[in-house]
Amino acid sequence: MDDQKEKKNAMPDAAPENEAAKAEEQAIHDEMEDLAKVFQEELDRAKAEAAEVANTVPEEPEILIQGLDDLPDPAEEIQAQEDEETEKEPCACCGEHPAGTHNDPNSPYCETCDTGLRHYPFDFVNILLVLAVLCFVFYGGYVFADHTQVFSEVHKADTLARQNKLYSALDAYSTAANTMVNQHINGEMVYKREILLAYRLGGINIMQDPAENIKSWEMSLPHFRSLRLALDDAEAFLATTDAANAILAPYDTTKAEDIPYDDLIAQLDALKDQTITTTEAASDADTESETTTAASGYTPKAEKYSVAMLAFFKYQTALICEKDMETQLAFAEEIREYGPQYPWLYGAILGDLYARSGKDVEPICQLLEAENAEDDTPALLRAIVKRMNGDYDGAIAICEEKLEAQSSISSEFYRQEGLCYLAKGDYETAYSRVNEGFQNTTYPSMQYCNTLALCAAAAGQTDAYDEIDELFQSSGYTISAEVSGYKNGTVTLESILLEGDFDV
């Protein structure tokens, strides 16, 4: 203890030093406490922020890739996305993309279409364009309404032509053409169809008038070539008719035995090799209207006479000269040989000669029916065959059917009925039927007038017979020898109806 005391006494300055150390330690401790406090506050704030982030952003699950097989398949992801899109309804506008937009998932439109519909450009220029289009639409409707009648008539004509009802089709085309002219409507193709149909039916003299509605420069176009050829051919027919009539006209009232038959046939044959002169063509042109110019119509051109038409006039010459049936038949066959495309020219003549000579008329009948379903010539030929074969009731039945249908050749059906009743011995009915046809006929033929005179003589209708005789004499002709012979008692009715050509 003494030692310790001595040591204490020996170190008088130790206490002050310890106090200083303690003070320094205390200061460090306090500073560390402050740092710990600050660290704790920062740590608490960081934890609070981390907890807030953890509540708003879900943590992605940790993916541990053990190998390449654990990688997600892009094709499967794309397919899954497409499957999800196909489950949605397609866009009501484009029909390609799924419906629904970012702002409105239930929208019936896709994002692109919805944007386009909301920003459609209705500026002033577009409004003007819409108004202009509406004006054109209303004007088109007005024009269509004004042309409706023409369209309807042309459609009717086209339909009838397809049905091979050519007479009705021609009437419909003519009606449509007249309407177009009155309404100042240009319808060149309608005129073309009308003219070609008239040409097909033998309406040679009615072709030029509608052709004047087609301008000459239009006629030079390729699609009018068939029309130009038809008009040129028709002009050749007309020129041939004029030339032949000039040869035959001086003998119109000459008796058959006084007509120079051989000379006339030779003159007609000579026209085959002749060329139509410019003077003849110019004379034809003079008959046209002076107001018609090359710019407003087509002028047909004919260089050669129609050989088929010359054969027709040779047949006519043989007929008026009362040549035998074989001679007439030869000329009729010549018409068909030179003009097989003209059944309207030779069909009825050849069929009648076939029927009266005992040949089969069915080929001719079928040809004419195929050409025009409304042609009653085949029915007439079949009625003639039945009459010549003694089937008078069958022939009368055919005639009655066509008369009820108001045939365009009703006069000839009346005449055939009269011949049938004459053969049956019913003279009063024969005269009544033929006289009825005569009253309804504007231009009865000489053969029809001779038939009426024969029926009047058979029925004892003397006054009627005398009227017909006067009609012949006023025209420079006489009743045929066989009819006057029957009236005088020198010719029998049987020899007229059952012998020779079985006709008057």
Side-chain angles (χ1 to χ4, degrees), residues 54 77 81 87 92 97 131 136-137 150 158 169 200 204 323 378 392 449 453 467 499-500:
E77 292 182 355
Q81 183 178 1
E87 292 178 357
H97 305 99
L131 292 176
F136 279 113
V137 169
V150 175
D158 291 340
R200 181 177 173 183
I204 301 300
K323 295 298 179 180
Y392 304 120
C449 293
E467 289 179 5
E499 296 177 5

Side-chain angles (χ1 to χ4, degrees), residues 16 157 162 195-196 265 267 298 302 337 340 349 372 395 436 439 445 476:
R162 286 192 297 269
I195 296 168
L196 290 180
I265 296 297
Q267 291 185 55
Y298 174 72
E337 178 185 354
I349 297 172
N372 180 13
E436 182 177 352
Q439 300 301 327
S445 65

Side-chain angles (χ1 to χ4, degrees), residues 30 135 163 236 263 326 420:
D30 293 338
C135 290
Q163 295 173 351
D263 181 58
E326 289 74 14
C420 288

